């Protein structure tokens, strides 16, 4: 590609964004063109002019998986490089399935980050050494990576959905997760929207079909 590699950083930790910006701006031919702490800021920052997005998977209440899918739907030419603390197989599979071109851990060194950014900008697929080693171990041992249920949801939303599927109402879920009932209600509403489901009973069926919820859930009494 001609011109500098234009990079946007999406991470909810300001110290990480600051440090990563300093690293990238020290690299020849790399230009940081934007930063975002959450999904709303990312939507306002990322355009088709961005070449690579450094994406954390956990953005507070937002899901980096869902945001990656949204970015690639709106700007298919953008390359997403996930850089996160999560090294489990489910997260890697979910990221690749939604279109990410690379996956690094935040323990990666400067050389690894530079190599990954240049590879993703060039249209290549790249996994960090630790992630690649886990993937190879899975292949060699014959294990099948576990599918992350509902990757479009954030970790908190999946937690709420699991409790909904077990039959807990919003008040009970709020007690379990130490949240306010209003926050739980907002989460449930967001989940209904993301999964294109119109009612709580239908949501429970969908969640159980996806593998969430216990075998003998209690009767649901709460409402979204």
């Amino acid at each position: 590609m001609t011109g500098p590699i234009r990079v946007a950083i999406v991470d909810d930790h300001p110290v990480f964004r600051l440090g990563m910006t300093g690293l990238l701006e020290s690299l020849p031919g790399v230009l940081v063109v934007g930063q975002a702490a959450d999904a709303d800021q990312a939507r306002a920052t990322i355009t088709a002019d961005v070449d690579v997005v450094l994406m954390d998977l956990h953005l507070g209440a937002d899901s980096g998986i869902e945001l990656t899918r949204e970015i690639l739907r709106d700007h298919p030419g953008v390359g997403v490089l996930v850089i996160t603390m999560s090294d489990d197989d489910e997260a890697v599979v979910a990221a690749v399935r939604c279109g990410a071109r690379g996956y690094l851990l935040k323990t990666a060194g400067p050389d690894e980050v530079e190599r990954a950014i240049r590879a993703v900008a060039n249209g290549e697929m790249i996994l960090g050494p630790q992630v690649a080693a886990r993937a190879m171990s899975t292949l060699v041992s014959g294990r099948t990576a576990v599918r992350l249920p509902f990757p479009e949801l954030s970790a908190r939303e999946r937690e709420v959905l699991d409790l909904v599927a077990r039959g807990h109402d919003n008040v009970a879920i709020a007690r379990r997760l130490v949240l306010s009932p209003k926050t739980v209600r907002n989460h449930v509403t967001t989940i209904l929207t993301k999964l294109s489901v119109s009612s709580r009973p239908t949501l429970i069926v969908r969640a159980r079909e996806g593998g969430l919820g216990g075998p003998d859930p209690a009767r649901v009494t709460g409402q979204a």
Side-chain angles (χ1 to χ4, degrees):
M1 60 180 298
T2 60
I5 299 172
R6 298 166 60 85
V7 180
I9 302 169
V10 182
D11 194 288
D12 62 344
H13 292 91
V15 173
F16 177 82
R17 293 198 308 273
L18 181 64
M20 184 58 68
T21 298
L23 169 62
L24 298 184
E25 290 183 341
S26 73
L27 302 177
V30 177
L31 179 65
V32 177
V33 296
Q35 298 183 37
D38 54 34
D40 286 340
Q41 290 181 15
R43 294 184 189 103
T45 300
I46 296 169
T47 68
D49 292 331
V50 173
D51 299 306
V52 177
V53 175
L54 291 189
M55 176 70 70
D56 191 9
L57 292 185
H58 304 292
L59 303 170
D62 298 318
S63 164
I65 295 292
E66 173 63 20
L67 181 58
T68 294
R69 182 179 290 108
E70 182 179 333
I71 289 171
L72 296 179
R73 182 193 65 212
D74 296 339
H75 310 295
V78 173
V80 175
L81 171 60
V82 170
I83 182 162
T84 181
M85 292 300 296
S86 179
D87 66 346
D88 62 89
D89 297 339
E90 298 158 340
V92 177
V93 170
V96 173
R97 279 180 172 168
C98 74
R101 290 186 201 162
Y103 198 106
L104 286 183
L105 299 183
K106 286 186 175 179
T107 53
D111 290 344
E112 291 176 55
V113 173
E114 179 180 5
R115 184 166 58 250
I117 286 175
R118 296 192 189 282
V120 168
N122 197 40
E124 301 171 22
M125 179 74 188
I126 187 167
L127 300 178
Q130 293 166 287
V131 176
R134 286 176 62 92
M136 183 59 69
S137 176
T138 297
L139 289 173
V140 170
S141 66
R143 298 195 310 270
T144 301
V146 178
R147 182 174 87 66
L148 182 70
F150 307 107
E152 61 267 54
L153 302 182
S154 68
R156 174 64 86 185
E157 288 163 353
R158 250 189 321 275
E159 194 173 15
V160 170
L161 180 57
D162 181 62
L163 292 174
V164 169
R166 291 176 185 275
H168 296 290
D169 62 23
N170 290 351
V171 174
I173 294 172
R175 285 198 300 266
R176 289 281 294 270
L177 300 182
V178 195
L179 299 171
S180 71
K182 179 181 178 181
T183 297
V184 173
R185 185 168 64 251
N186 290 341
H187 278 313
V188 173
T189 299
T190 299
I191 293 167
L192 288 167
T193 300
K194 285 186 176 182
L195 299 185
S196 300
V197 174
S198 60
S199 69
R200 195 176 185 117
T202 304
L203 181 62
I204 292 173
V205 173
R206 176 83 178 274
R208 292 179 186 170
E209 289 176 346
L212 297 182
D216 297 307
R219 182 174 64 86
V220 174
T221 58
Q223 299 295 323

